[in-house]
Amino acid sequence: MATTLEMLWDSVLKKIHEAQYFDEQDFQVWIKKTTLFKIENDSAYVAYRSSITKAIMERQLALFEATLSEEWGNPVSLILIEQKEMEQMMPEVVVEQRTNTLLENKFNPNYTFENFIEGSSNKEAYAACFASCNQGSHPMFNPLMLFGNSGLGKTHLLHAVGNYLHTERPEAKVIYMYSGDFVSILIEAMKTKNIHGNTVDKVKEQLLDCDYFLIDDIQNLQHNSSQEVFFTVYNKLIEKGSQIIITSDIHPKELSNLQSRLISRFTSGLAINISKPGFETSKAILKKKLDGREDLVTDEVLDYLAMSYSSDVRDLEGKLNRLIFQSTLFNPDVIDLKFATEHLGKEPIVEQKNELTMKTIKRSVSQFYGLSISDLEGKSRLKAIMNARHICVYLSRELLHLPYMTIGKELGKRDHKTIQSSYTRAKDLMQKDQAFEIAVHKIKEKLL
């Protein structure tokens, strides 16, 4: 109904605009931002955001009533009401409107399969995403999960799926959203739950009306109630044969903030890692970015950038953009290696580090010892696992200054006395065990 009223009011405003009853600026600033949110008992309720809008419309109330009556097909009287009052009267309509806005598919036209540079680090992810666009009613791999560090092309592939389907299969219904938007939608819906118990259900219905559900950065879906709703939506989408594609910065088994039943379902499909691109792929990305302007930059500079900044594709492209910008200021004949090192040399060439958390500490320690996160959080008392656990505790205290209780909660729900004892043991080993001390320093260097 909300969509019908929105289209009706758009038609009314279009007629009034074309008839030039109002000054162009007044119309755009004040009139256009009104909302028709309800027609009941021959009364049409229109929400305004400013008292100026109200004053302008009241002077021409008969005009709005006549135009709306003509478009509606029945005579109606117009009632003007402030936006805040409308939101209090009909919160479920507001939620639906906001949800519709967030669900609008605004795919970046620059992110397509054609301009995605394939290499050994991402060819499996590319192939899986492309295949998902050209399969039957029952997806072979569902869900499809792409994981890897930020800036390696996961979002590009999600947008590529959306753009491809829009062109090649316009009948397919596609929902793309960032996990944070998913949380926002549900929080808004839950605010009205006490008065309008079906609001969350309506949001679920909107989310289920799709053939493809693409969700970015699932690791940020940390709100418990949102996870409950996502679990329900996920299961129903799988049942109806909708393809789900998810991205994450880390492997699904390391998503410790998500419910175990969600993680179990994520790993039941196909999880593909996108890693740091190799030299040739990085150079190809730079050439694609130049797109016919290769004469601006020497091949030696492309080699330098590809070797130095390939850990993050966005950063790689950003460094090229910076050099091109600097060349407009200093006007060199060509961007050569001397010019590049002069203007990028002020910036340290280091691999981008993620925010330091207990999660990153656990991941680094487990990788160093060849263990899993569950090994660290488990109850095994093997020496290698115990030492790794001690290092986790030690670094969490030394680098993050976390209380013992917090560390224990993140490390298998251990009590604070156990963690305090582990920290004391780690300090003791730092003095007595050279191998242990070296391991601590190497892991610390990697983290910092």
Side-chain angles (χ1 to χ4, degrees), residues 304-324:
Y304 165 71
L305 294 175
M307 286 188 293
S308 304
Y309 300 100
S310 62
S311 60
D312 185 325
V313 174
R314 294 191 190 102
D315 186 43
L316 178 69
E317 294 179 336
K319 291 297 185 289
L320 179 61
N321 287 336
R322 180 173 178 80
L323 287 178
I324 292 173

Side-chain angles (χ1 to χ4, degrees), residues 39 41-44 64-66 68-70 72 74-78:
I39 297 180
N41 298 327
D42 297 329
S43 295
F64 285 97
E65 287 181 338
L68 177 56
S69 297
E70 181 182 347
W72 179 244
N74 289 299
V76 292
S77 58
L78 207 67

Side-chain angles (χ1 to χ4, degrees), residues 70-87:
E70 181 182 347
E71 290 295 306
W72 179 244
N74 289 299
V76 292
S77 58
L78 207 67
I79 298 175
L80 298 175
I81 187 168
E82 193 175 2
Q83 178 79 15
K84 290 180 181 178
E85 292 181 61
M86 183 270 282
E87 292 179 358

